[in-house]
Amino acid sequence: MTTTTAEIAERIRDAAAHGTRLRVIGRGHWLAANRPVQADATLPLDGYSGIVDYVPGDFTLTARAGTTLAEIARAARDQGQWLALDPLGSDEGSIGATVATASHGPHATGFGTPRDHLLGLEFVTGAGDVVRGGGRVVKNVAGFDLVRLSTGAWGTLGVITEVTVRLRALPAEQQTLALAVDEDAPILERLTSGLRGLVTAPLACELLSGVLAARIGLPERPVLAVHIGGNAESMRAQRDALAGLEAGAFAPADDALWTRLRAAGAGAAATWRLSYRPSRFAHTWIEGRESIAPFAGAWMHGSPLRGAVRYAVPTDAAEPGSPERLLRALTQPFDGVRIGETLPARAWSVLPSRAMDRLSRGVRTAFDPRGILNPGILGASE
Ligand SMILES: Cc1cc2nc3c(=O)[nH]c(=O)nc-3n(C[C@H](O)[C@H](O)[C@@H](O)COP(=O)(O)OP(=O)(O)OC[C@H]3O[C@@H](n4cnc5c(N)ncnc54)[C@H](O)[C@@H]3O)c2cc1C
């Protein structure tokens, strides 16, 4: 079991010297994304865990990469704080992988993606050098770009060994509300522009298709789920503002809905997401509904305030012919950003990858000259 950063660095230097390609593993939950990694050996980090430093007064916490989000949540909760990062999947994933994959979930609406929570990190490059970016305190922004560079690099620039994150105060009160929604373009348009006009944005706000609503225990019809938080006065103002949207009556819903939503993608044959201007949300929702209609049991959810929609095709919809339809759905013309999350192995090659552009290759070569870290993970031709 690896117990120090120096040991990880030594292991990587040794691999670089021998040209041994390494697959980096956090807690191993998400390797099932089927990304085409060509590795000779694994570098597991689950044993490299634990909170190194926690300064509640500064709202900062430093943890080793293999620490689970659940462990961080427990420590923060004891101090009335939380890490407002809820990546898809579960809290049994590691903080290192969450940063490496830039994974986020419904609360990105209120708090942003991992790079917005990250104050600093330590990582070991593919040459075995230990590098630190950012800091352990909020004011220190030196090296910020290094921090951003590593976020979402899927372990191709370095192995993240330690992460410093910004925590938030737990809201004094919080509530989840749900509204049954009509999937009619003008109605959706009015609702989403009303949401964008709210003075206080919700902590989370997701539109769920009827199929997904039923999967997570709600009546089978499209629903807008909203999570609000704050003091009593702010909560009252937020409820009034939502009621003023004239979209119908919001009803109290179960807070565990967010956990079930995060877990809903497990075992899907394919999940992908499209991002574009939030003002186009209603339009893209309606279009997306048509593109997944041929897949039995397919579902979608999206954030009207972030402008991202995520689609999933369940394994049991993968009847003969589906892969071709899936590839067509993935490759149809689209002017936003398309991200594959889990795809059948052969489908990865149809999605555009930035891994081969000159800038990306230059950065990769600077950090991992022999290309030994997670080779292939960002695209087959990498
Ligand atoms: C769209 C989407 C959907 C997801 N759905 C699920 C889901 O259904 N179930 C689930 O469990 N998780 C899911 N995840 C992943 C999850 O959100 C987080 O990324 C994290 O919780 C996984 O933790 P892990 O330790 O198990 O990761 P792992 O599976 O161990 O690793 C994930 C990736 O991160 C790299 N990595 C891990 N640790 C490091 C490190 N320290 N430094 C550099 N690279 C590293 C690995 O090489 C691997 O490519 C999803 C992520 C995304 C983006």
Side-chain angles (χ1 to χ4, degrees):
M1 187 187 287
T2 310
T3 52
T4 65
T5 298
E7 276 174 35
I8 296 172
E10 178 63 36
R11 173 90 203 276
I12 294 175
R13 269 197 300 277
D14 186 57
H18 293 94
T20 307
R21 300 168 301 176
L22 298 174
R23 173 159 212 161
V24 185
I25 303 180
R27 292 270 160 176
H29 292 95
W30 192 234
L31 300 172
N34 293 326
R35 285 173 182 262
V37 178
Q38 298 103 34
D40 308 307
T42 59
L43 177 56
L45 295 165
D46 55 337
Y48 196 57
S49 70
I51 293 168
V52 178
D53 194 17
Y54 179 16
V55 188
D58 281 348
F59 288 81
T60 61
L61 181 148
T62 302
R64 294 193 188 96
T67 312
T68 63
L69 297 169
E71 187 177 344
I72 294 174
R74 273 193 300 274
R77 202 181 306 119
D78 288 346
Q79 301 290 335
Q81 299 181 353
W82 65 312
L83 174 59
L85 190 56
D86 58 341
L88 299 166
S90 80
D91 284 342
E92 293 310 313
S94 65
I95 184 70
T98 301
V99 171
T101 59
S103 295
H104 53 273
H107 285 84
T109 294
F111 301 99
T113 59
R115 68 181 188 184
D116 301 307
H117 300 262
L118 204 56
L119 297 170
L121 53 73
E122 175 192 82
F123 74 92
V124 182
T125 69
D129 298 323
V130 181
V131 183
R132 272 185 176 272
R136 286 193 187 176
V137 291
V138 178
K139 288 180 222 106
N140 184 350
V141 291
F144 200 55
D145 286 349
L146 186 62
V147 172
R148 289 185 169 223
L149 207 55
S150 325
T151 308
W154 284 84
T156 59
L157 303 181
V159 175
I160 297 170
T161 45
E162 200 179 282
V163 169
T164 301
V165 286
R166 177 205 304 267
L167 303 179
R168 320 267 164 171
L170 275 170
E173 290 180 25
Q174 46 182 315
Q175 189 178 21
T176 297
L177 299 165
L179 171 74
V181 169
D182 253 322
E183 278 181 317
D184 167 87
I187 293 177
L188 275 185
E189 196 71 66
R190 270 204 307 282
L191 174 63
T192 57
S193 77
L195 285 166
R196 286 196 302 277
L198 291 175
V199 175
T200 308
L203 308 182
C205 170
E206 290 282 319
L207 183 58
L208 323 181
S209 66
V211 174
L212 176 56
R215 275 179 84 96
I216 65 169
L218 299 171
E220 184 167 354
R221 57 170 306 182
V223 64
L224 179 73
V226 176
H227 186 203
I228 56 173
N231 60 26
E233 196 182 333
S234 155
M235 291 288 281
R236 217 171 11 254
Q238 290 182 72
R239 280 192 211 101
D240 288 350
L242 289 170
L245 291 179
E246 290 177 29
F250 280 87
D254 171 14
D255 286 339
L257 171 157
W258 302 107
T259 307
R260 295 198 298 273
L261 173 57
R262 289 169 59 202
T271 50
W272 68 99
R273 81 176 176 267
L274 308 185
S275 303
Y276 43 84
R277 294 190 308 280
S279 57
R280 272 197 51 187
F281 182 85
H283 177 77
T284 308
W285 181 270
I286 304 275
E287 263 188 0
R289 202 180 48 171
E290 268 145 44
S291 94
I292 61 165
F295 304 101
W299 48 262
M300 56 199 261
H301 64 103
S303 161
L305 295 172
R306 299 187 65 243
V309 178
R310 179 163 171 257
Y311 308 81
V313 176
T315 313
D316 50 18
E319 79 276 10
S322 280
E324 280 62 39
R325 286 211 300 255
L326 174 62
L327 295 188
R328 271 203 301 279
L330 287 171
T331 52
Q332 72 189 354
F334 171 71
D335 62 359
V337 177
R338 194 190 322 264
I339 310 271
E341 294 183 349
T342 318
L343 295 177
R346 59 184 282 241
W348 282 108
S349 58
V350 305
L351 283 183
S353 164
R354 298 288 304 274
M356 290 304 284
D357 71 28
R358 250 183 77 221
L359 183 61
S360 303
R361 277 166 66 169
V363 173
R364 174 77 192 259
T365 308
F367 283 94
D368 180 16
R370 295 205 61 186
I372 58 158
L373 298 177
N374 280 347
I377 203 164
L378 294 179
S381 52
E382 181 201 353

